[in-house]
Amino acid sequence: NAGVTQTPKFQVLKTGQSMTLQCAQDMNHEYMSWYRQDPGMGLRLIHYSVGAGITDQGEVPNGYNVSRSTTEDFPLRLLSAAPSQTSVYFCASSYSGYQPQHFGDGTRLSIL
Amino acid sequence: GIQVEQSPPDLILQEGANSTLRCNFSDSVNNLQWFHQNPWGQLINLFYIPSGTKQNGRLSATTVATERYSLLYISSSQTTDSGVYFCAIDFDGGTSYGKLTFGQGTILTVHP
């Protein structure tokens, strides 16, 4: 039981490049979310999903795209990377909206 | 707007001391969680506690929803308790989707 797995752990991109951050969970959780954490700050919600085929925007969705074709996977796509998207990205999952959220170890992303 | 305020922002303790961390929030909640971010950046869920009191070893938490605050108690602190403690809330707009709003965190340093 691996929990929430995020790949890659580190990534450096050039401005304008695109990439996909992967998130997978093996706990059969319906709810999954993406957050970003900037230095000295708490986490902010980017996008979330309440089940396969259902996604919605969070607080800071601009520049990011998501889809959820399976219960297990919830990838986050950066369409055209900008320096302002340099951050640590966390994926989380929970059984429902009234259960504890479990976080992956994060992806540290730098955009030059 | 919706606010989550944590205090104190920083806390320095000697090993063995007790501490209380506070989270004030500006609206009624249907989901409140406490997290510990360790020095390696991992986020660990400590409590799911929208109301009432829970205990887990040396840690306990109390949420008084009617007065809009939650407290996290750490007893007999250890150096491994060091890190950042976050309060995160999904405000009561009906169904909870686990759309957490994080506070700024309390940085705890425990010296041996």
Side-chain angles (χ1 to χ4, degrees):
Chain A
N1 190 339
V4 181
T5 302
Q6 293 185 234
T7 56
K9 295 189 184 305
F10 303 93
Q11 184 71 47
V12 179
L13 292 179
K14 294 181 179 179
T15 298
Q17 287 184 315
S18 62
M19 80 161 293
T20 299
L21 279 61
Q22 302 292 344
C23 176
Q25 53 87 15
D26 61 358
M27 297 175 283
N28 202 30
H29 285 171
E30 290 294 328
Y31 288 63
M32 296 185 75
S33 305
W34 277 101
Y35 296 85
R36 61 177 287 174
Q37 184 177 28
D38 299 303
M41 297 182 66
L43 283 72
R44 292 182 292 170
L45 182 65
I46 304 172
H47 285 284
Y48 68 100
S49 169
V50 299
I54 307 170
T55 64
D56 205 348
Q57 298 180 351
E59 179 185 356
V60 288
N62 291 341
Y64 307 95
N65 209 353
V66 293
S67 61
R68 189 148 177 225
S69 56
T70 68
T71 299
E72 294 78 19
D73 300 299
F74 190 41
L76 178 72
R77 298 180 186 84
L78 277 70
L79 309 174
S80 177
S84 61
Q85 294 178 304
T86 293
S87 189
V88 181
Y89 291 84
F90 288 96
C91 179
S93 74
S94 62
Y95 184 72
S96 76
Y98 299 94
Q99 294 289 324
Q101 286 196 10
H102 300 275
F103 280 75
D105 287 344
T107 294
R108 188 174 297 273
L109 182 63
S110 294
I111 300 166
L112 307 177
Chain B
I2 295 169
Q3 293 186 343
V4 182
E5 296 181 352
Q6 293 187 240
S7 59
D10 299 274
L11 188 57
I12 299 174
L13 301 174
Q14 287 296 127
E15 202 167 28
N18 301 329
S19 61
T20 300
L21 283 59
R22 186 177 181 101
C23 174
N24 291 335
F25 43 92
S26 60
D27 208 339
S28 59
V29 301
N30 55 18
N31 183 335
L32 188 149
Q33 304 186 33
W34 283 96
F35 295 90
H36 175 218
Q37 188 167 38
N38 64 26
W40 296 271
Q42 295 172 316
L43 278 159
I44 308 300
N45 191 296
L46 299 175
F47 294 103
Y48 169 80
I49 187 165
S51 63
T53 298
K54 291 185 177 180
Q55 182 159 3
N56 184 3
R58 296 182 296 104
L59 273 61
S60 63
T62 295
T63 297
V64 184
T66 53
E67 297 186 22
R68 299 185 180 171
Y69 72 89
S70 183
L71 302 174
L72 177 69
Y73 306 95
I74 304 173
S75 65
S76 304
S77 59
Q78 301 176 358
T79 56
T80 53
D81 295 331
S82 295
V84 185
Y85 289 80
F86 289 106
C87 169
I89 292 169
D90 191 2
F91 289 91
D92 188 2
T95 302
S96 173
Y97 297 111
K99 297 168 56 181
L100 297 180
T101 297
F102 280 74
Q104 295 295 314
T106 291
I107 302 172
L108 176 64
T109 304
V110 181
H111 291 301

